[in-house]
Amino acid sequence: MGLTRAQRDELDRRVQAIDWTDEARAFGSPQRQELADWMLRSGMVEEEIRKSFRNPAQAERMLEYTQPRMVEKVTGVPIVSNPAQWNTGNILDPQPDWSFCGWVRHTTYAISHRNARRVLHPPVKDTTSYETMGEDEDDARTVFDRADTRPLTPTVPNLFDAHPGLWVLRPDPPQATMMRGQVARYGTGIVPELIYGTVLDNPQYRQMEPGDVAALLLTPLPKSQAQVAVALTPPAYRRLMAAWVPGQLTVPRAMDGRAIRRELDMLPGGDIRAWRVLGTVVARLVV
């Protein structure tokens, strides 16, 4: 999890190489959105949280609280907090010879520790004491069984950098469950075969390892990143993402079908274009 020292140095160089014009510094700019994307994909926020909060359940709760607030501080766009109460001096301000990675780790620590007492009240149990994870009595899977739905880790770091222009169309919950079952039985090599010739297929997948394709399509989105996914979605598709993203979570929730249909009817470019936009946002967050 997280980055090595060499990878952090490389990320800092990429950030410093951006031409930080007044337009790039503006809140909500594409450059700020790109930084938020890099931050989330690096795993630095999660790594810092898990170092500080060794109880897995506490770490999950603090990650759910901290991660969207970190995105707010990078992009300057509100997600979960009231911008009227912001101290704008705490929003990211790129500087020459400045370490973006150092800023992320320091700010993550400050936000999580400053709010831990309030966020972790009432206290949470250690995850190992949970017998089930789910919202209905029929769900008897243990927390470790649930973890088995996330064995899909890309074998190539910076997958989207290695494949510019990569888009991902993700399966909805019933199909994703079926495909995960096939992966559990036959391995990730079955995924390209399952999607070949369907709307989920992408010619760029021919250049990728099957495990990477499986990760892009099937790795579930943690609940802590649902609001982040909405914030990082292009504005025209944001309401559609809010209605659709519950079905992409580690524990899928009901999607608002009427809202989805209504938003699709209002969007240019057809359904496939919309699903590619949304699927790619989620895929960038999970890999």
Side-chain angles (χ1 to χ4, degrees):
M1 186 187 301
L3 304 179
T4 65
R5 176 60 183 271
Q7 289 171 326
R8 291 198 301 271
D9 289 345
E10 174 58 26
L11 179 51
D12 281 339
R13 283 192 289 270
R14 291 168 68 188
V15 174
Q16 291 165 9
I18 294 173
D19 183 12
W20 289 105
T21 62
D22 290 343
E23 290 77 11
R25 290 175 177 272
F27 292 171
S29 70
Q31 291 85 349
R32 285 182 177 272
Q33 294 279 354
E34 185 171 39
L35 256 60
D37 181 44
W38 290 348
M39 175 183 70
L40 294 170
R41 288 162 55 197
S42 75
M44 286 187 292
V45 174
E46 182 172 358
E47 180 183 42
E48 196 64 42
I49 292 291
R50 296 196 186 282
K51 280 196 306 186
S52 297
F53 302 91
R54 299 306 178 93
N55 177 319
Q58 290 184 344
E60 287 301 324
R61 186 178 289 183
M62 290 309 304
L63 185 61
E64 185 176 348
Y65 176 87
T66 305
Q67 195 153 242
R69 287 164 174 80
M70 286 296 296
V71 174
E72 289 180 333
K73 289 189 178 296
V74 174
T75 63
V77 176
I79 302 174
V80 293
S81 60
N82 182 355
Q85 299 175 349
W86 285 2
N87 177 352
T88 54
N90 289 335
I91 305 297
L92 176 141
D93 180 21
Q95 300 291 329
D97 300 324
W98 150 90
S99 172
F100 174 65
C101 295
W103 179 90
V104 168
R105 297 166 78 189
H106 172 79
T107 309
T108 298
Y109 181 92
I111 291 175
S112 60
H113 282 257
R114 187 182 304 129
N115 295 282
R117 184 183 296 273
R118 175 168 57 86
V119 174
L120 297 178
H121 182 78
V124 296
K125 293 182 180 179
D126 191 327
T127 343
T128 55
S129 69
Y130 290 173
E131 292 185 358
T132 62
M133 264 188 90
E135 298 186 18
D136 13 36
E137 296 174 357
D138 294 332
D139 187 353
R141 288 178 286 184
T142 67
V143 73
F144 300 107
D145 290 336
R146 178 74 70 191
D148 286 342
T149 65
R150 290 206 251 171
L152 307 167
T153 304
T155 55
V156 180
N158 301 321
L159 204 51
F160 283 87
D161 295 332
H163 299 276
L166 176 64
W167 57 260
V168 178
L169 198 158
R170 305 245 309 173
D172 278 337
Q175 188 176 7
T177 298
M178 179 276 293
M179 291 174 68
R180 289 187 185 111
Q182 296 285 73
V183 167
R185 186 173 182 182
Y186 300 110
T188 56
I190 193 70
V191 171
E193 180 181 330
L194 292 175
I195 66 173
Y196 184 76
T198 73
V199 295
L200 299 178
D201 200 8
N202 181 340
Q204 281 194 280
Y205 294 161
R206 314 290 184 272
Q207 308 163 28
M208 299 166 61
E209 295 294 327
D212 296 332
V213 178
L216 290 167
L217 295 176
L218 299 177
T219 305
L221 182 73
K223 180 183 175 185
S224 61
Q225 293 194 349
Q227 292 170 306
V228 173
V230 175
L232 294 183
T233 300
Y237 299 93
R238 204 163 283 163
R239 288 195 299 267
L240 178 60
M241 174 67 91
W244 173 78
V245 76
Q248 296 293 311
L249 301 180
T250 305
V251 182
R253 300 177 184 275
M255 297 179 286
D256 188 339
R258 288 184 179 180
I260 289 173
R261 189 68 261 164
R262 183 173 62 250
E263 291 301 322
L264 285 172
D265 289 343
M266 296 172 60
L267 288 172
D271 290 9
I272 295 299
R273 178 179 177 183
W275 295 133
R276 287 179 179 179
V277 170
L278 270 58
T280 303
V281 171
V282 171
R284 292 179 77 95
L285 287 172
V286 297
V287 304

